[in-house]
């Protein structure tokens, strides 16, 4: 407290005692000191008192002649040795806190590296989605028009007219909805079991049938599907049409449980790096309700403040509850929805269009 360090130090120094022989091992000469101190952070204390004194007397002489009285002193010598040592220990305790220069310098270097690699903060508001390049976390999926390796136009080529930015539209999965029959089903970038895995689907989750026709590769049939803004290929025998029957994900797998967990958001909670759906910027969609309302098929589905499973949870959605899609663009398999007065992000594979099932 207030930079004062209180501690207890016990120091011990041991040496071999060559004067004693033991069958259990060598004997030891031990010196100990124990002290308790109060000192300001950064000040030095000195521990002393670990003294050692060795006294030895050695006599060297010529056999027989050294024992002759009077004259024997000419044939022998005496050596006296007095050795004293003292061990001194210097201790400098330092309190490490958020203002410690070394820690502040390390945090600053980390921020500089993050700024160089990921741009200005916050860094977690736009989470890395399946199919994105880790070196370009701001990109979702592949877009050939944004490829930095694409050749530049020649000097005489006409400059294309600027294209107005597209207005984000609500994500609609209405259409031919398919149910996943295997937990951990991979959406792949191509109809090839060796291609990149874009996303993994949980058992009883739903996806939308893609526009590309089915493919048969080495006798295996692949089907084009999409979840949010992720489009890829899955094994055709591991999905089935839903039709108009009721759908539930009560038989859960590991991936379903992952979307049911999270730390709840409480009043006064400060969470750096998350990007909640701001009420000031989110307005009700003008699209028909039949295209933007969905029924939750997973009980206790977490409604997150940002499209990230590590984000805080606004609330848990009950199975069968109805949510309204918001006009934010999809981020990977995440879409923005409103449930009552709460707004946030949910994985789209646990939502079914309201018009397809009850």
């Amino acid at each position: 407290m207030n930079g004062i360090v209180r501690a207890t130090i016990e120091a011990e120094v041991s040496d071999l005692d060559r004067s004693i022989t033991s069958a259990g091992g060598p004997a030891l000469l031990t010196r100990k000191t124990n002290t308790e101190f109060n000192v300001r952070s950064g000040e030095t204390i000195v521990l002393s008192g670990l003294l050692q004194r060795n006294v030895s007397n050695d006599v060297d002489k010529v056999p027989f002649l050294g024992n002759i009285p009077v004259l024997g002193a000419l044939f022998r010598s005496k050596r006296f040795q007095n050795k004293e040592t003292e061990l001194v220990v210097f201790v400098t305790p330092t309190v490490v806190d958020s203002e410690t220069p070394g820690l502040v310098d390390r945090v600053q270097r980390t921020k500089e590296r993050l700024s160089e690699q990921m741009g200005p903060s916050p860094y977690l508001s736009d989470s890395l989605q399946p199919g994105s390049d880790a070196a370009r976390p701001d990109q979702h999926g592949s877009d050939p028009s944004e490829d930095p390796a694409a050749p530049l136009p020649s000097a005489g080529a006409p400059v294309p007219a600027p294209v107005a930015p597209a207005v984000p539209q609500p994500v609609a999965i209405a259409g031919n909805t398919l149910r996943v029959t295997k937990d951990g089903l991979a959406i792949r970038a191509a109809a090839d079991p060796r291609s990149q895995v874009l996303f993994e689907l949980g058992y009883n989750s739903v996806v939308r049938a893609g526009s590309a026709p089915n493919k048969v590769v080495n006798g295996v049939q692949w089907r084009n599907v999409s979840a949010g803004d992720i489009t890829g290929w899955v094994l055709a025998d591991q999905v089935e049409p839903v039709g108009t029957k009721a759908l539930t994900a009560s038989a859960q797998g590991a991936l379903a449980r992952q979307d049911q967990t999270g730390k709840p958001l409480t009043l006064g909670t400060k969470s750096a790096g998350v990007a909640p759906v701001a009420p000031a910027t989110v307005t009700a969609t003008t699209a028909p309700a039949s295209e933007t309302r969905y029924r939750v098929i997973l009980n206790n589905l977490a409604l997150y403040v940002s499209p990230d499973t590590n984000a805080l949870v606004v609330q848990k959605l009950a199975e069968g509850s109805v949510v309204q899609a918001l006009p934010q663009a999809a981020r990977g398999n995440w879409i923005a929805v409103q449930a009552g007065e709460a707004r946030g992000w949910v994985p789209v594979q646990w939502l079914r269009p309201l018009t397809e099932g009850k």
Side-chain angles (χ1 to χ4, degrees):
M1 182 181 296
N2 298 327
I4 302 298
V5 179
R6 180 178 181 182
T8 300
I9 293 183
E10 180 176 350
E12 177 178 333
V13 180
S14 300
D15 293 321
L16 292 176
D17 187 357
R18 304 182 186 281
S19 62
I20 299 177
T21 303
S22 172
L28 298 176
L29 291 173
T30 302
R31 294 169 287 161
K32 294 183 179 181
T33 181
N34 193 331
T35 184
E36 182 176 348
F37 65 87
N38 292 329
V39 65
R40 292 187 179 276
S41 175
E43 295 183 351
T44 302
I45 64 171
V46 180
L47 301 180
S48 61
L50 298 174
L51 299 174
Q52 182 180 23
R53 177 179 298 171
N54 296 325
V55 179
S56 61
N57 288 310
D58 297 329
V59 177
D60 296 330
K61 62 183 178 179
V62 177
F64 182 73
L65 296 179
N67 296 330
I68 298 176
V70 182
L71 295 178
L74 300 175
F75 300 98
R76 65 175 178 264
S77 64
K78 294 182 179 181
R79 182 172 57 189
F80 172 77
Q81 185 178 14
N82 184 11
K83 180 180 178 182
E84 293 185 359
T85 59
E86 179 178 5
L87 178 63
V88 179
V89 180
F90 294 83
V91 180
T92 305
T94 303
V95 177
V96 178
D97 56 18
S98 59
E99 303 299 329
T100 303
L103 182 59
V104 171
D105 181 63
R106 188 188 312 171
V107 171
Q108 183 62 31
R109 292 199 306 268
T110 302
K111 289 182 177 179
E112 292 175 356
R113 288 197 299 268
L114 286 174
S115 298
E116 293 175 358
Q117 298 176 4
M118 306 182 66
S121 62
Y123 309 112
L124 298 181
S125 60
D126 214 3
S127 58
L128 183 64
Q129 299 296 338
S132 299
D133 186 357
R136 303 176 64 197
D138 58 325
Q139 304 297 320
H140 300 284
S142 59
D143 186 355
S145 64
E146 299 181 0
D147 186 2
L152 297 176
S154 60
V159 179
V163 179
V167 178
Q169 298 295 329
V171 177
I173 57 175
N176 188 7
T177 303
L178 305 173
R179 183 181 73 92
V180 176
T181 60
K182 178 184 177 182
D183 194 47
L185 176 62
I187 299 180
R188 298 186 177 272
D192 188 337
R194 297 166 297 180
S195 63
Q196 177 187 1
V197 175
L198 303 179
F199 187 65
E200 289 187 347
L201 298 165
Y203 175 70
N204 261 345
S205 60
V206 295
V207 291
R208 183 184 178 187
S211 58
N214 291 3
K215 293 183 178 181
V216 178
V217 180
N218 296 329
V220 179
Q221 188 173 16
W222 294 81
R223 187 157 193 171
N224 185 243
V225 298
S226 63
D229 68 355
I230 301 174
T231 300
W233 297 84
V234 298
L235 294 173
D237 61 350
Q238 295 180 3
V239 292
E240 63 180 14
V242 173
T244 59
K245 63 182 179 180
L247 186 62
T248 175
S250 56
Q252 301 171 5
L255 295 177
R257 290 190 291 271
Q258 176 180 326
D259 293 325
Q260 295 172 313
T261 60
K263 183 178 180 182
L265 176 68
T266 57
L267 291 178
T269 301
K270 296 181 179 179
S271 178
V274 298
V277 179
T281 59
V282 176
T283 57
T285 177
T286 58
S290 61
E291 295 180 7
T292 60
R293 299 179 66 196
Y294 305 101
R295 188 178 300 279
V296 177
I297 64 172
L298 177 65
N299 195 34
N300 291 326
L301 176 64
L303 179 67
Y304 297 93
V305 299
S306 65
D308 188 343
T309 53
N310 295 320
L312 297 178
V313 175
V314 179
Q315 70 177 54
K316 296 293 185 69
L317 303 176
E319 179 185 339
S321 59
V322 177
V323 296
Q324 180 84 17
L326 297 175
Q328 271 69 20
R331 296 186 181 181
N333 66 308
W334 297 85
I335 65 169
V337 299
Q338 178 170 342
E341 298 298 325
R343 297 178 178 182
W345 297 81
V346 294
V348 71
Q349 67 268 23
W350 302 117
L351 303 178
R352 185 182 181 187
L354 195 60
T355 56
E356 292 192 8
K358 307 218 176 175

